[in-house]
Amino acid sequence: MQNRDSIGHVTGKSVYVDDIPEQKGTLYGKVFGSPIAHGILKKIDVSDALKTPGVEAILTAADIPGENQIGGIIPDEVLFADEKVEFHGQPIAFVVAKDELTARKAAAKIIADIEPLEPITDPRIAKEKGLLLFPPNTFSSGDIDAAWKDCFHVFSGQAELNGQEHLYIETQGAYAYPTENDGIKIHSSTQGPTHVQHTTAHVLGIPMHRVEVDVTRLGGGFGGKEDQATAYACMAALAARKLKKPVKVILHRMDDMQMTGKRHPYSADYRIGLDKDYKIVAYEATLYQNGGAASDLSPAVLDRSLFHSTNTYFIPNTRITGYSCKTNLPPNTAFRGFGGPQGMFFIETAIARAAHELNIPAKTIQKKNLLQENDSFLYGQVAKQVNIQSCFDTLNKHDDLDSLQKEVDDFNKNHQLFKKGLAVMPICFGISFTKTTMNQARALVHVYHDGSIGVSTGAIEMGQGVNTKMIQVAAQTFSVSPDRVKVETTNTTRVSNTSPTAASSGADLNGKATQIACTAIRERLLELAASKLNSQKSELSILNEWVYQDNKQTTIHWNELVKEAYLERICLTENGHYATPVVHFNTKTKKGHPFAYHVYGASAWLVTLDCLRGTYTFDKVEVVHDFGNSMNFNIDRGQAEGALVQGLGWMTMEELSYDAEGVLKSNSLSTYKIPDIYSVPKELNIIPLAANGPEPAILRSKAVGEPPLMYGIGAYFALYNAIKAFNPKAPFETDAPMTPEKALMLLYKG
Ligand code: MTE
Ligand code: LUZ
Ligand code: MOS
């Protein structure tokens, strides 16, 4: 089935927050952010700004009727800075005016009297000063202290890993207006409508039922709108309630880049021990997560770094400790992979380091240590349906890795100024929210008495195609044409207490809930058919809109069946509730079964490096990915390709640059380079692994949103190998991304 949104997108008809027809009298908000990264906020002078014609109000912390608090996991984040400012761009005031330009002009006249304090941007310095956002966390397995003496080789090092800007095409925004009975309605570009509803109610000091949040779709989220859409929704709602008028806020791109959190940069110390046969015996790492000024989702992100710190390898003795360091940067947040990519980057770094010292290809170590069926992860879950070996086998069948390596070696022998590099990157990603409670969803399904169907779920469409998948689930469960099914907007009054659409589990959780609701209605319809046909329900089924009895078509069509059910006063609506079975996790012992299943895959990266310029081209990337039984291969392949290229951008060209004062220098698309069509590997083959999906995956079609991003890590190590081919003396230094500048320096270092 074609993606339901594709026509709307290419014709420009798809509706985003800023496209919603405006009500008369709509006002526009502009956020006034802190001009410096750290200081004591002594006074805010808005008098001049208020005199600007067309300005209706300037709201600050003093105008909040409820609590000035928006922290999602830990209550440590204010909506508006009150006594201190802790990052450059931190919201201090919200200017509301008749139009956007007026609001912007007025905001420029606000004077904030701030006594500057020293800003900290480096997580290791923050840690030294005892500035942690929350207590450290450690995962371990085996007996690491005893294990080192069993190691034949031990290597250790330090690695730096930068963050990543989400660069969703639609910037953060919200449109709020008062409704009758003291209500407020918010159109928000959020992945988490319930989070917006709950936090807005808290800030306004009203119960959740007064707040209705509605989402049509997002122009991309990538995790950046899991928590961080909330602040702007709160501001619009606060102003709308105060002024009793509709208020809209849409961030300017440069404000969005400056004010919002990103993928967390990490620094790490690692130590890896191997036996004579290159089996990894021990792995220890200390991670310094750059959390920014408030916790946001950092505790959960750090957890996922620990969960994924052994990637797709079995390592019997481990100890991984993570510190979340409080710095004067915007609070960093969810980003596709959610800490997993960072955890996986460091184990790959440790393996590459060992390979470098032992003068063998990293692949030799990687392949020796692949996870096997019934191995335990460091968090205690026993690995089942482990597909990593078959991913490698399929990859080798498609494009033999040893012959590829030989091609590379031959090329390098015959070329002076261009060198090729090959790297292999396997992945293993756990599917489920690591917080067990969040693994639940609901769907409200109506069958209208003309036979058409309306489906509401908690899932947010952000380009990943979840709405199309929901249509497929409903259509398949009823066995009717997908044209009969409409997916409604995601709305907190229709589907409540939702988890954000995140953790790649949007389709699984909401799809299962939809399936449960549709099944319940279908069973009632079949019961009715049985009474009409004087037969047993168990003999009946619906197939392509006709009722079948013992595999023979009857005279009852879907339309009649539904109409009859209505006349007989049978309920044609159902609310489906799904909670992922089996998952559990003990946060004290750090053991359990947190994931419904894991997604596997293997990739091979081939790059050509221009050794005079440091520039490079990815010639070819081969991927064997475990989609299970993909329910929509066009969508899933698009997800795999998009994620892979986003990972490639993170690893090679996207360079966040904060100066020592905590000011983002890479705050626009002229200074922050993201991949474009020319950065995409010249040849990119996504090959689906032939394997059945597990039961908790919707229609056995595995979650696909985040895992393929981590293939991108292969880009870094392919480049590193090309550098080594040119400059065998290049030191082993890890500082991602490998921009052309950094590649050039390494080509001539040592
Ligand atoms: N694809 C597009 N086009 N746009 C997005 O914002 N977000 C990613 C992924 N794919 C995203 C995307 C992230 S971070 C997640 S968690 C999943 O989609 C969420 O959707 P799902 O759970 O339905 O896969
Ligand atoms: N969000 C979250 C996530 O709250 N918990 C998770 O485990 C998670 N994983 C991936 C992406 N977002
Ligand atoms: Mo995705 S980082 O789970 O929104």
Side-chain angles (χ1 to χ4, degrees), residues 165-170 219 222 253 256-257 335 654 668-669 672 674:
E165 161 63 40
H166 299 88
L167 231 115
Y168 26 65
I169 295 179
E170 180 199 26
F222 306 111
R253 175 66 66 188
D256 188 301
M257 290 178 83
F335 195 137
E654 298 185 36
S668 73
L669 278 163
Y672 187 78
I674 60 158

Side-chain angles (χ1 to χ4, degrees), residues 164 222 336 635-649 675 680 684 686 704-706 708-709:
Q164 187 176 24
F222 306 111
R336 208 170 195 171
I635 285 177
D636 287 350
R637 187 178 54 196
Q639 284 292 294
E641 291 175 351
L644 182 143
V645 173
Q646 201 165 32
L648 166 115
V680 172
L684 173 54
I686 309 273
V704 71
E706 296 170 286
L709 182 130

Side-chain angles (χ1 to χ4, degrees), residues 659-696:
D659 68 13
E661 301 302 310
V663 176
L664 183 70
K665 292 299 170 187
S666 52
N667 69 342
S668 73
L669 278 163
S670 60
T671 47
Y672 187 78
K673 169 76 178 147
I674 60 158
D676 56 24
I677 193 68
Y678 301 104
S679 333
V680 172
K682 280 192 198 141
E683 203 185 324
L684 173 54
N685 295 314
I686 309 273
I687 302 152
L689 179 75
N692 279 329
E695 207 289 319

Side-chain angles (χ1 to χ4, degrees), residues 238-289:
L238 178 69
R241 201 166 160 83
K242 182 129 191 154
L243 299 169
K244 302 193 168 52
K245 285 188 183 159
V247 176
K248 182 172 174 172
V249 57
I250 307 282
L251 291 197
H252 186 281
R253 175 66 66 188
M254 281 159 102
D255 286 342
D256 188 301
M257 290 178 83
Q258 188 70 255
M259 288 176 175
T260 64
K262 311 182 190 314
R263 185 189 294 288
H264 297 75
Y266 277 57
S267 180
D269 298 317
Y270 61 85
R271 190 173 184 211
I272 188 168
L274 301 90
D275 70 10
K276 272 189 187 158
D277 299 324
Y278 307 138
K279 273 261 183 203
I280 305 173
V281 178
Y283 175 58
E284 185 168 21
T286 306
L287 315 183
Y288 301 89
Q289 179 192 55

Side-chain angles (χ1 to χ4, degrees), residues 3 42 66 113 140 208 363 413 448 508-509 562 614 636 663 683-684:
N3 189 321
K42 297 174 115 174
D113 181 6
S140 60
M208 282 169 80
K363 183 179 61 155
K413 253 184 231 130
Y448 295 99
D508 277 358
L509 296 176
V562 168
D636 287 350
V663 176
E683 203 185 324
L684 173 54

Side-chain angles (χ1 to χ4, degrees), residues 191 222-223 226 334-338 501-504 706:
Q191 291 173 241
F222 306 111
E226 187 173 330
F335 195 137
R336 208 170 195 171
F338 203 77
T501 298
S504 303
E706 296 170 286

Side-chain angles (χ1 to χ4, degrees), residues 355-397:
H356 170 85
E357 302 292 345
L358 298 166
N359 207 18
I360 55 170
K363 183 179 61 155
T364 309
I365 303 175
Q366 290 170 316
K367 286 173 75 177
K368 273 243 155 85
N369 290 281
L370 293 178
L371 196 71
Q372 312 277 327
E373 194 74 13
N374 295 323
D375 278 345
S376 286
F377 288 97
L378 75 162
Y379 44 88
Q381 181 163 346
V382 177
K384 295 284 177 192
Q385 291 179 273
V386 178
N387 286 334
I388 189 59
Q389 190 60 53
S390 32
C391 286
F392 266 101
D393 295 345
T394 311
L395 187 63
N396 266 313
K397 248 181 250 155

